[in-house]
Amino acid sequence: MSPEIDLVHVAQRLAIVGICSGFIGAALWQLLVGSMHVLALRLHARMAQRQRIADARTRAHG
């Protein structure tokens, strides 16, 4: 005899897996967006610092 497949149980498990994967995907997306934001801020700060150094050198020599 083959075991019966409980479709309600399978559907509940699939729903739980889907919800969990959605939460995990959203969390990973937030981490990615946050890290890109931090990277952009760091690059902007570095660029601004280089600009200030270049401006100071220009003032010093001119």
Side-chain angles (χ1 to χ4, degrees), residues 3-59:
E4 296 274 333
I5 297 175
D6 186 3
L7 292 179
V8 173
H9 181 73
V10 171
Q12 287 175 345
R13 293 297 175 225
L14 286 175
I16 290 171
V17 168
I19 290 169
C20 289
S21 64
F23 279 120
I24 291 170
L28 290 175
W29 178 254
Q30 287 297 321
L31 287 173
L32 176 66
V33 169
S35 64
M36 294 299 287
H37 182 69
V38 169
L39 180 62
L41 287 176
R42 286 184 180 176
L43 288 174
H44 179 72
R46 186 177 295 173
M47 190 170 52
Q49 181 184 18
R50 287 181 182 171
Q51 185 63 44
R52 286 192 302 271
I53 291 171
D55 291 344
R57 285 180 180 162
T58 302
R59 285 191 302 269

